[in-house]
Amino acid sequence: MQLYSRTLPWVGWVVAVMLCASPSATAAATCQFDKVHFSADFPSGRLDECKQLSESDYLLTVAPENKPINPSPWYAFRAESQVDAPLALNLIVRSAHGKARYTPKASIDKRTWAELPHTFHDDRVAVAVTLQPDSQLYIAGQELIDNRSYTRWLASLLNRFDTLELSSIGQSTQHRPLPALIHRAAASTAWLVIIGRQHPPEITGALALMHFSETLFAADELASLREHYNILLVPNMNPDGVHAGNWRHTSTGLDMNRDWKARTQPETQALHNFLQARVAAGERIWFALDFHSTHRNVYYTMPSHYVRVNGQPLAEPQLVDNWLERLASVIDYDVENKPGHNADSGVFKQYIADEYGVHAVTYEVGDRTDRNEIAETARAAALALALA
């Protein structure tokens, strides 16, 4: 069992065997059964249907917000015991579209999480848990980092570092703010741009962004970088999708990281307007990072020799290669640099390259990457950037 903070002695874990029983009862929309209630009535919760298969066996289904969609079946729900004795449950979490992706984790407070022993089989993942009397247990595909988590985290950074100001670059479709931290260097016109959470379930990328940013603002070794560059940090670009527990999309049903060319959404428009205002003021974009999660650690980069439509190459063509080579030399983990480009893709790194003529990187973290590795790599990546 992988523990993220401390042990969880209140749960009796056993690996569940995949169940093949036929459904015998269908739960109401509230998912209330005699011995246990299931619910997803909290931020980032996701649960669409519940069925009781036998006395202790339950099938829990999650469905995407809309289709077509790149399947990233997200689930997050609470199981509440209704009995006064330990309650053993066998749970199958089924994806209504695509293969199961996320390893189940559990928490009693939504802050400390432990990975559950589990069994994957195509579109479902099975776990077995034991609820203690009158207790509740949160189960999710990853640790929960909801919109309030970002509010608390940004406030903690603001209190720790006096060079920062808290702002908002705009609003989402559902009128949620897009909070940003801004660091202004006294004599610089160049900007480092950092964004994250375009896709709601991509928690490992969110963790990497947090470790990277904390190091960037605090480390003495990065004082020179902070003196030479302004920094814009927008850690939660899709607050509507994060709140709803969406698999991938915004509240309008679109993949934000395919919208940077058309910019049809208020979220992409907001960041574009901010960057355009900087350029109009005689400033420039230096480099950009976009944090995500996928099945492995990989850095999607622009080719060093990339030439824009106007015939101009990217500024500082070796910047990213130098950065990643430096990173690979100081950590014990593999660093995969995967260059590529597609002018019509609508992804953020392509937008930065084509619109501003500079490098951008999609910093991808594996869904199951060890949390210590995420932290060590992100901190080292921030330090290496100063030497690129």
Side-chain angles (χ1 to χ4, degrees):
M1 173 180 3
Q2 182 176 358
L3 299 180
Y4 303 135
S5 181
R6 63 172 183 265
T7 57
L8 304 178
W10 37 266
V11 182
W13 312 115
V14 295
V15 178
V17 177
M18 292 303 303
L19 303 173
C20 57
S22 300
S24 59
T26 300
T30 55
C31 292
Q32 294 185 356
F33 301 94
D34 290 342
K35 294 184 177 181
V36 62
H37 294 175
F38 299 103
S39 58
D41 57 351
F42 52 88
S44 297
R46 191 77 183 196
L47 181 63
D48 295 281
E49 183 181 335
C50 313
K51 292 182 179 179
Q52 185 172 10
L53 306 178
S54 69
E55 180 70 16
S56 59
D57 303 335
Y58 295 84
L59 177 67
L60 310 177
T61 299
V62 291
E65 54 269 24
N66 65 296
K67 298 178 185 177
I69 193 169
N70 183 331
S72 300
W74 171 252
Y75 56 92
F77 57 88
R78 180 176 59 247
E80 299 179 80
S81 172
Q82 304 299 307
V83 298
D84 59 2
L87 179 63
L89 301 174
N90 296 316
L91 308 178
I92 297 177
V93 181
R94 184 183 74 88
S95 165
H97 177 65
K99 291 186 176 181
R101 172 173 172 176
Y102 296 110
T103 299
K105 299 163 186 68
S107 174
I108 57 172
D109 57 10
K110 295 193 292 184
R111 289 193 276 281
T112 301
W113 294 85
E115 185 173 304
L116 293 168
H118 59 278
T119 304
F120 275 113
H121 183 71
D122 293 333
D123 63 350
R124 56 196 66 196
V125 57
V127 298
V129 299
T130 299
L131 300 182
Q132 298 304 317
D134 299 316
S135 68
Q136 63 182 22
L137 179 67
Y138 291 90
I139 298 175
Q142 299 281 26
E143 305 93 312
L144 293 182
I145 302 178
D146 59 21
N147 294 334
R148 291 182 180 179
S149 301
Y150 285 107
T151 299
R152 291 191 294 266
W153 179 67
L154 289 172
S156 73
L157 291 182
L158 194 66
N159 290 332
R160 287 157 56 188
F161 310 124
D162 58 11
T163 64
L164 300 176
E165 60 182 81
L166 182 62
S167 184
S168 174
I169 62 167
Q171 292 187 333
S172 68
T173 298
Q174 296 179 341
H175 306 295
R176 292 184 173 89
L178 300 173
L181 275 185
I182 297 174
H183 159 77
R184 295 187 184 275
S188 176
T189 61
W191 286 83
L192 168 61
V193 179
I194 303 169
I195 70 169
R197 211 67 185 276
Q198 293 199 68
H199 300 146
E202 297 183 4
I203 296 296
T204 55
L207 293 171
L209 177 148
M210 289 176 168
H211 292 301
F212 182 97
S213 300
E214 289 171 0
T215 304
L216 183 66
F217 293 130
D220 292 340
E221 299 94 324
L222 290 169
S224 177
L225 188 146
R226 294 191 298 270
E227 290 175 1
H228 287 87
Y229 297 101
N230 303 300
I231 302 169
L232 172 69
L233 169 63
V234 190
N236 185 16
M237 285 293 302
N238 188 0
D240 294 349
V242 167
H243 179 78
N246 282 358
W247 288 19
R248 190 171 180 88
H249 292 164
T250 65
S251 57
T252 59
L254 293 180
D255 185 336
M256 186 183 298
N257 204 32
R258 300 298 182 271
D259 188 53
W260 288 99
K261 185 174 183 179
R263 295 188 295 278
T264 64
Q265 302 302 292
E267 297 89 349
T268 52
Q269 292 168 9
L271 183 56
H272 176 72
N273 291 341
F274 181 95
L275 299 181
Q276 291 293 104
R278 304 284 71 75
V279 173
E283 300 172 353
R284 64 184 177 90
I285 310 307
W286 169 61
F287 181 48
L289 284 169
D290 178 18
F291 285 80
H292 286 262
S293 303
T294 188
H295 299 289
R296 70 186 194 281
N297 298 344
V298 59
Y299 300 84
Y300 290 114
T301 64
M302 296 298 296
S304 58
H305 60 272
Y306 181 71
V307 176
R308 302 156 70 194
V309 173
N310 63 10
Q312 297 297 313
L314 299 184
E316 299 185 61
Q318 295 304 313
L319 171 64
V320 170
D321 288 346
N322 291 343
W323 172 51
L324 294 179
E325 288 172 7
R326 173 64 181 173
L327 174 61
S329 73
V330 297
I331 63 173
D332 295 328
Y333 313 110
D334 292 336
V335 175
E336 182 181 354
N337 180 353
K338 192 175 175 94
H341 64 94
N342 180 344
D344 296 321
S345 64
V347 301
F348 180 73
K349 75 177 181 74
Q350 184 79 41
Y351 155 75
I352 290 290
D354 288 338
E355 186 73 21
Y356 304 104
V358 301
H359 274 286
V361 174
T362 308
Y363 185 129
E364 298 268 10
V365 184
D367 293 333
R368 304 178 193 179
T369 300
D370 178 82
R371 273 45 182 174
N372 290 328
E373 178 181 342
I374 292 173
E376 291 173 17
T377 300
R379 291 167 185 150
L383 295 172
L385 187 59
L387 302 175

